[in-house]
């Protein structure tokens, strides 16, 4: 018999360390849209939907559900994907799932990040009342007030509000039951996996004091507070959340390589490469990030100026003129003057041939002309 799994999206190379990302009540895995693609440079990222949210079946959960039930669904997903151990980050209810995993299945976690969440959610009564309201009236009224609960004034993410409105009322109410029953304050001292707490400074639902309580109780835990963020910090302040998660989950070659790649080639180029990434190309992108940028370009034996000279020469020799244009821009970022670039290309005329150098000068001149007019990217 086939067991139905949580709906999920996988990004990044299959060979990279696994990182599971959990959502907040009322949202889908779209909550991580501005963070997951960057994390996938160094991780096999798996985002999942709560039952009855996004693409997950409502029947996966029922009245009286617990956070432990949700954690069991996450472990079933990991098992089905062949993931034995994984890093985990979750928002609000997704963060509670992470705390449960750290307490009851520590052998499965390599590290944990709890984002805009709590070891308790202000008692059972409000959640039981919300569950009853949703079972009686549906989600339209709650969705109308989502912006005020989730974001600072004037900010919204229409996709997430729509996901809230379209969630299954019964499954949403069952998730409220899980929040009502959740309180692990007495057990926090037993958590042994490396733990990061991320608080939105403007979060009314799980204010920084809730995250501070966890940080004070979990041995060795760290706390980051993000100014200008409310309850859904990954959507409202993705850059700050990304920086915190990268620092916590480690600076491996792929993440370091992505940073160097951005410095040399520019954000626009790397953003386009990530946007075009597919499951078919993910391993190649991982290879580039880990090996070319994370190991070769970070080797201090040669300066970046020298590496640009070598790279320009090699590209001319092999006739890769589109790549050459990109690396002329990179050479300028690395400090080469137009005159120095011209001298490198003139050298290639001797050792790579005049026709190759002729094409190279034409490609380089277009790039340098764009730079002068401000049309380059």
């Amino acid at each position: 018999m086939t067991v139905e799994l949580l709906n999920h999206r996988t990004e990044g190379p299959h060979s990279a360390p696994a990182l599971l990302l959990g959502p907040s009540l009322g949202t889908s895995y779209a909550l991580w849209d501005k963070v997951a693609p960057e994390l996938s440079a160094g991780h096999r990222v798996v985002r999942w939907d709560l039952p009855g949210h996004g693409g997950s079946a409502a029947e996966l959960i029922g009245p009286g559900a617990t956070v432990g039930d949700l954690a069991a669904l996450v472990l079933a997903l990991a098992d089905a994907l062949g993931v034995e151990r994984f890093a985990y980050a979750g928002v609000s209810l997704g963060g509670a799932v992470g705390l449960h995993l750290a307490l009851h299945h520590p052998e499965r976690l390599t590290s944990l990040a709890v984002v805009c969440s709590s070891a308790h959610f202000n008692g059972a009564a409000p959640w039981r009342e919300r569950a009853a309201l949703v079972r009686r009236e549906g989600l339209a009224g709650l969705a109308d007030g989502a912006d005020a609960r989730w974001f600072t004034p004037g900010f919204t993410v229409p996709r997430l509000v729509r996901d809230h409105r379209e969630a299954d009322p019964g499954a949403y109410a069952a998730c409220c039951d899980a929040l009502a029953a959740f309180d692990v304050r007495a057990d926090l001292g037993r958590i042994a996996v490396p733990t990061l707490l991320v608080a939105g400074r403007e979060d009314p639902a799980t204010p920084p004091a809730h995250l501070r309580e966890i940080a004070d109780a979990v041995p060795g835990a760290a706390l980051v507070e993000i100014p200008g963020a409310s309850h859904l910090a990954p959507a409202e302040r993705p850059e700050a959340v990304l920086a915190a998660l990268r620092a916590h989950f480690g600076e491996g070659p792929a993440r370091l390589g992505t940073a160097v790649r951005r410095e040399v080639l520019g954000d626009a180029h790397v953003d386009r490469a990530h946007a075009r990434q597919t499951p078919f190309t993910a391993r190649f992108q991982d290879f580039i990030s880990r090996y070319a940028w994370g190991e070769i370009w970070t080797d201090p034996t040669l300066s970046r100026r020298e590496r640009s000279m070598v790279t320009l020469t090699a590209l001319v020799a092999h006739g890769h003129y589109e790549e050459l244009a990109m690396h002329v821009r990179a050479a300028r970022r690395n400090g080469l003057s137009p005159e120095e670039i011209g001298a490198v290309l003139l050298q290639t005329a001797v050792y790579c041939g005049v026709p190759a150098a002729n094409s190279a000068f034409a490609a380089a001149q277009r790039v340098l002309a764009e730079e002068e007019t401000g049309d380059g990217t």
Side-chain angles (χ1 to χ4, degrees), residues 290-355:
R290 288 176 184 274
Y291 184 60
W293 295 103
E295 295 186 24
I296 301 304
W297 273 85
T298 57
D299 182 346
T301 308
L302 297 178
S303 69
R304 288 190 185 175
R305 283 172 48 83
E306 292 166 329
R307 290 190 182 281
S308 278
M309 293 179 183
V310 172
T311 302
L312 293 176
T313 304
L315 292 172
V316 174
H318 288 275
H320 299 311
Y321 300 116
E322 184 175 340
E323 289 270 316
L324 176 70
M326 178 178 70
H327 275 278
V328 168
R329 297 186 186 96
R332 295 291 287 130
R333 290 190 187 91
N334 286 340
L336 268 68
S337 68
E339 292 75 18
E340 289 172 319
I341 292 171
V344 170
L345 299 185
L346 187 61
Q347 184 87 359
T348 67
V350 177
Y351 293 96
C352 302
V354 171

Side-chain angles (χ1 to χ4, degrees), residues 4-288:
E4 187 162 8
L5 300 173
L6 294 168
N7 183 57
H8 59 282
R9 177 176 178 176
T10 302
E11 297 159 280
H14 188 276
S15 56
L19 169 59
L20 272 60
L21 300 178
S24 171
L25 176 65
T27 70
S28 69
Y29 64 52
L31 173 59
W32 293 99
D33 274 354
K34 295 183 179 180
V35 176
E38 289 286 345
L39 291 174
S40 71
H43 286 91
R44 180 189 182 189
V45 175
V46 181
R47 315 186 234 168
W48 54 272
D49 284 332
L50 289 162
H53 296 62
S56 285
E59 295 74 22
L60 288 169
I61 198 173
T66 66
V67 170
D69 295 332
L70 295 171
L73 291 171
V74 171
L75 290 178
L77 173 61
D79 291 342
L81 295 175
V83 174
E84 177 60 30
R85 302 190 75 221
F86 52 89
Y88 182 91
V91 180
S92 195
L93 178 53
V97 169
L99 289 171
H100 181 94
L101 290 170
L103 285 166
H104 298 281
H105 303 279
E107 74 285 354
R108 302 297 298 269
L109 292 189
T110 58
S111 55
L112 169 66
V114 178
V115 182
C116 299
S117 189
S118 183
H120 66 98
F121 289 86
N122 297 312
W127 294 105
R128 288 173 180 158
E129 291 170 6
R130 186 185 292 194
L133 173 68
V134 170
R135 288 181 172 116
R136 185 172 64 249
E137 300 181 10
L139 283 164
L142 275 178
D144 288 341
D147 282 344
R149 297 196 311 275
W150 286 351
F151 305 118
T152 58
F155 188 89
T156 188
V157 180
R159 162 73 187 274
L160 295 178
V161 176
R162 184 176 73 248
D163 287 337
H164 189 347
R165 195 178 304 277
E166 294 176 355
D168 179 84
Y172 183 100
C175 288
C176 291
D177 293 340
L179 287 167
F182 186 74
D183 189 342
V184 296
R185 283 175 287 183
D187 301 318
L188 292 173
R190 295 195 292 108
I191 293 178
V193 299
T195 301
L196 171 70
L197 293 312
V198 179
R201 197 165 288 171
E202 312 301 323
D203 183 358
T206 55
H210 283 231
L211 284 300
R212 200 173 301 121
E213 181 179 39
I214 302 173
D216 289 343
V218 175
L223 171 65
V224 173
E225 293 188 20
I226 299 180
S230 187
H231 192 53
L232 300 189
E236 188 164 14
R237 291 295 310 279
E239 300 87 355
V241 172
L242 180 61
L245 295 183
R246 274 179 165 161
H248 179 60
F249 292 132
E251 288 294 331
R255 285 175 294 287
L256 179 58
T258 298
V260 173
R261 192 179 182 189
R262 286 186 176 281
E263 292 169 5
V264 174
L265 299 182
D267 288 335
H269 172 84
V270 178
D271 288 342
R272 286 193 297 270
H274 284 172
R276 292 193 300 265
Q277 180 173 292
T278 68
F280 180 69
T281 64
R283 289 187 67 188
F284 178 64
Q285 289 296 322
D286 179 58
F287 167 77
I288 293 172

